[in-house]
Amino acid sequence: MSEDKTTERNAGKQVHSERKAKQTYTKRNEDFMFRLTKELNENDKLSEEKKEEALQDTKLRLLEGQLKGETAKQIYGTPTDRVKEIIEGPKKTPVETKYWMKALDNGMVFLMIFALMFGIMMIFQPKSVTSEPGPAGITAMLAISIIGGACAPFLTDRLQPTSKKKERQSIWKTIGMATGMILVWMVAYMLFSSLPQSLNPILPFEAYLVLAAVLFVVRMWFKRRYHVTGGFM
């Protein structure tokens, strides 16, 4: 029984395709197919079988679009665009970068910069760092980087030209939010930098440089793994 239903469905699809094949093109779609066929024949990257398959798929899609009033340009753009799509495959839908991804990414950037900066300073000016830990202490570095990473996405999302949030927010609200985030980060910076050395120890310069190198590698992997876009770097 199920085999009969499957056969009926396949037959229905075949009849539907045959009906489309009997349709005639509009003038613009006919010109599109002519130019597409020419460009495909001039292309050496595709096999003849692939070209024929692509032409049939395009033909059926155009005929289907005609019934809805769609033009070839609306569906595929130019014939060159269609050839590029056939070779490279359909465009992938961009992966949304979630807030926690942006926060973690920016946090790693802050920590990497601090680790590299203080690691180098401890090589050339060790006394200026060890006499008063401040932000060079590992506790302060971690806390300041985490808070900075958490605040940064709110700013970058509104400063990017394509941001939808920026379109909804007024310029004064954006400036106010940016000022507030910067103040929060500065207060955190001062508070954690004032911690005593017992709670905010300084690591050897080698540890800071290794930490910076490890964070660089981990961040590159993280961005590729989760397709993270934006950020400070």
Side-chain angles (χ1 to χ4, degrees), residues 2-177:
S2 60
E3 290 181 1
D4 293 339
K5 289 183 178 179
T6 302
T7 304
E8 288 177 6
R9 281 198 299 269
N10 291 337
K13 289 180 180 178
Q14 186 175 356
V15 170
H16 185 60
S17 297
E18 288 175 356
R19 285 177 181 173
K20 285 182 181 178
K22 292 178 181 178
Q23 284 181 254
T24 56
Y25 292 121
T26 61
K27 215 167 187 179
R28 290 183 179 180
N29 283 356
E30 186 177 358
D31 179 63
F32 180 91
M33 285 301 299
F34 174 78
R35 290 190 291 151
L36 176 64
T37 303
K38 184 179 179 182
E39 288 195 32
L40 282 175
N41 288 335
E42 293 172 353
N43 192 290
D44 299 328
K45 296 180 181 180
L46 297 168
S47 64
E48 293 301 320
E49 184 180 351
K50 181 69 176 178
K51 291 177 184 178
E52 184 60 31
E53 182 183 347
L55 286 171
Q56 288 301 318
D57 289 343
T58 305
K59 179 180 179 180
L60 292 175
R61 179 67 184 88
L62 288 181
L63 292 173
E64 182 182 327
Q66 282 185 185
L67 298 176
K68 302 175 185 178
E70 296 174 337
T71 64
K73 188 173 183 180
Q74 290 174 327
I75 299 171
Y76 293 117
T78 66
T80 303
D81 293 333
R82 175 56 177 152
V83 171
K84 186 177 180 182
E85 182 184 2
I86 294 168
I87 296 172
E88 299 178 357
K91 292 181 180 179
K92 295 181 180 179
T93 305
V95 179
E96 180 186 358
T97 303
K98 297 180 181 179
Y99 168 78
W100 72 266
M101 297 178 183
K102 296 177 184 178
L104 181 57
D105 179 58
N106 287 309
M108 286 192 283
V109 171
F110 283 124
L111 188 56
M112 180 174 62
I113 292 173
F114 282 132
L116 181 62
M117 179 176 69
F118 289 120
I120 293 173
M121 285 179 64
M122 288 178 68
I123 295 174
F124 297 102
Q125 296 178 329
K127 291 183 180 180
S128 65
V129 178
T130 55
S131 60
E132 192 174 336
I138 188 62
T139 304
M141 283 176 56
L142 285 170
I144 294 168
S145 299
I146 291 171
I147 294 171
C151 291
F154 291 101
L155 303 182
T156 55
D157 284 354
R158 285 160 177 78
L159 294 175
Q160 289 174 357
T162 57
S163 173
K164 293 181 180 178
K165 291 182 179 179
K166 184 185 175 186
E167 294 173 6
R168 293 198 298 266
Q169 302 288 352
S170 68
I171 184 65
W172 295 111
K173 192 169 184 178
T174 300
I175 292 172
M177 184 172 289

Side-chain angles (χ1 to χ4, degrees), residues 179-228:
T179 303
M181 292 295 175
I182 292 171
L183 285 174
V184 168
W185 190 77
M186 288 178 66
V187 170
Y189 184 93
M190 289 186 289
L191 287 175
F192 286 102
S193 296
S194 63
L195 289 173
Q197 192 163 353
S198 57
L199 299 176
N200 189 31
I202 295 179
L203 303 181
F205 76 87
E206 296 94 340
Y208 286 129
L209 296 181
V210 169
L211 177 60
V214 170
L215 283 169
F216 177 81
V217 174
V218 171
R219 182 172 178 260
M220 289 299 101
W221 170 84
F222 179 74
K223 286 180 76 71
R224 290 175 184 172
R225 170 67 178 79
Y226 293 100
H227 308 286
V228 179

